[in-house]
């Protein structure tokens, strides 16, 4: 599961994703319930960027006394069934989650070591996402994940014995087709793990608290 990633910052939203950034700021790293930008299709079909909370149901939206379930990730196998995701998956509320890296724990030394995973040269990329809006206009989002037991890179992460999972890195040529897709079965055809030989990974110990994005 991916619960920590580096969102793209303002200039990359303009230069790579072709959208104007949201006015509010966000941090250099995102964790569940942190604000971060997503790119979705606007009412006219054109790309637009909005600031959302990283978790489909943020903790602040959970009524007191209700059991908490993490929703920063959504299992692709059940995304059309779970109440937190199904309505929005069936409605085709798909988005791009711009990133320059995501982070996973590697246990090959016998203890958890945070690793940074991304594309060569720090190239920005888009993770497939699903979003929802709240009655007050706020937005939140989640990352669908796939089983990665057989993936040569992603199977190196998480505790021994745990199922290996991976997020979906979308090839750039698929971005607009993903955003325009409104058929959940067709959307499933986009959910593929990125080739291991096209990715890079290295140890990246946790740094001091990430600073807010700069203009």
């Amino acid at each position: 599961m991916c619960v920590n990633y580096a969102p793209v910052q303002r200039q990359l939203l303009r230069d790579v994703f072709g959208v104007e950034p949201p006015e509010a700021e966000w941090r250099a790293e995102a964790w569940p319930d942190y604000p971060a930008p997503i790119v979705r299709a606007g009412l006219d079909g054109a790309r637009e960027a909005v600031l959302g909370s990283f978790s489909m149901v943020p903790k602040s939206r959970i009524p007191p006394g209700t059991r908490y379930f993490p929703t920063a990730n959504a299992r692709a196998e059940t995304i059309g069934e779970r109440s937190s995701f199904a309505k929005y998956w069936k409605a085709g509320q798909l988005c791009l989650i711009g990133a320059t890296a995501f982070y996973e724990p590697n246990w090959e030394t016998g203890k958890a070591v945070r690793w940074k995973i991304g594309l060569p040269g720090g190239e920005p990329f888009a993770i497939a996402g699903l979003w929802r809006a709240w009655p007050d206009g706020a937005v939140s989002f989640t990352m669908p994940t796939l089983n990665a037991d057989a993936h040569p890179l992603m199977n190196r992460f998480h505790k021994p014995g745990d199922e290996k999972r991976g997020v979906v890195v979308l090839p750039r040529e698929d971005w607009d087709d993903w955003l325009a897709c409104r058929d959940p079965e067709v959307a499933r055809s986009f959910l593929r793990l990125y080739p291991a030989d096209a990715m890079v990974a290295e140890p990246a110990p946790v740094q001091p608290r990430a600073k807010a994005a700069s203009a």
Side-chain angles (χ1 to χ4, degrees):
M1 296 176 70
C2 179
V3 296
N4 177 208
Y5 76 101
V8 292
Q9 301 302 324
R10 295 180 181 279
Q11 200 57 47
L12 288 178
L13 281 172
R14 295 186 182 103
D15 294 346
V16 177
F17 291 85
V19 294
E20 274 301 304
E23 291 185 6
E25 294 190 338
W26 60 94
R27 297 186 181 277
E29 287 189 21
W31 295 84
D33 297 342
Y34 278 38
I38 61 171
V39 176
R40 65 185 182 183
L43 293 177
D44 61 356
R47 295 181 192 175
E48 65 176 11
V50 297
L51 203 66
S53 181
F54 179 31
S55 283
M56 202 66 166
V57 184
K59 287 183 179 179
S60 62
R61 302 283 178 173
I62 300 174
T66 302
R67 184 178 176 186
Y68 170 72
F69 292 96
T71 57
N73 295 155
R75 294 175 65 90
E77 297 88 342
T78 56
I79 197 170
E81 303 165 11
R82 300 295 185 185
S83 59
S84 296
F85 314 115
K87 175 181 177 181
Y88 313 102
W89 175 251
K90 292 172 183 176
Q93 293 185 194
L94 310 178
C95 64
L96 304 174
I97 304 168
T100 54
F102 61 95
Y103 302 91
E104 300 285 6
N106 181 300
W107 286 79
E108 292 170 348
T109 63
K111 62 180 181 179
V113 177
R114 191 178 80 148
W115 276 48
K116 175 181 178 180
I117 304 140
L119 301 186
E123 179 184 351
F125 54 92
I127 297 171
L130 180 71
W131 67 275
R132 65 165 292 176
W134 295 86
D136 60 4
V139 170
S140 58
F141 64 95
T142 186
M143 297 178 178
T145 66
L146 299 167
N147 179 278
D149 287 343
H151 192 270
L153 177 60
M154 297 310 299
N155 69 5
R156 299 179 60 187
F157 304 109
H158 301 292
K159 290 182 180 180
D162 284 0
E163 181 189 9
K164 313 306 179 184
R165 306 288 299 180
V167 295
V168 176
V169 175
L170 291 166
R172 193 172 297 196
E173 61 268 22
D174 288 347
W175 290 2
D176 287 319
D177 289 340
W178 169 254
L179 291 179
C181 183
R182 297 295 177 265
D183 184 327
E185 292 309 311
V186 174
R188 285 191 179 279
S189 69
F190 290 88
L191 301 182
R192 303 181 297 272
L193 294 175
Y194 207 69
D197 59 6
M199 305 172 78
V200 294
E202 62 182 1
V206 176
Q207 299 298 313
R209 188 176 181 184
K211 295 180 180 180
S214 58

